[in-house]
Amino acid sequence: MGTYTEKWGELPESAKDLERARQSFIEEFEAINWYSQRIEATTDAELKKILEHNRNEEKEHAALLFEYVKKHDSEQAGALKKSDL
């Protein structure tokens, strides 16, 4: 998985799943950034439409992962409530 400082095999499955979700969340935002850059760079209207569609799907994926993390990490959910997110 991503970056972790403890031995992966010693972590409980719940911690591994949160790591998977968080790392996937990061990767979705990287993909959103890449698609956004390509959208801005292209002059081809057809390609732009395809890239916008793909970027928007990545946004949906990020939202699903965000909800997963909120559901499975009560401290994170509490922090979000404090910040009105």
Side-chain angles (χ1 to χ4, degrees), residues 66-67 70 76-85:
F66 191 63
E67 290 302 318
K70 284 183 1 183
Q76 182 68 67
L80 291 166
K81 284 181 184 176
K82 287 180 185 176
S83 65
D84 292 328
L85 293 178

Side-chain angles (χ1 to χ4, degrees), residues 22-76:
R22 290 179 180 126
Q23 185 60 41
S24 295
F25 186 76
I26 292 166
E27 292 164 3
E28 295 297 344
F29 270 91
E30 286 178 337
I32 291 165
N33 285 340
W34 294 333
Y35 280 119
S36 293
Q37 290 172 28
R38 293 170 188 159
I39 290 163
E40 293 299 320
T42 189
T43 58
D44 184 300
E46 180 182 5
L47 178 58
K48 183 176 283 215
K49 186 175 179 180
I50 293 166
L51 295 172
E52 287 171 340
H53 171 82
N54 291 353
R55 180 200 56 203
N56 293 341
E57 284 189 354
E58 302 299 339
K59 289 180 178 183
E60 181 181 351
H61 301 163
L64 292 168
L65 289 160
F66 191 63
E67 290 302 318
Y68 178 90
V69 171
K70 284 183 1 183
K71 181 179 177 183
H72 294 276
D73 183 339
S74 59
E75 289 181 18
Q76 182 68 67

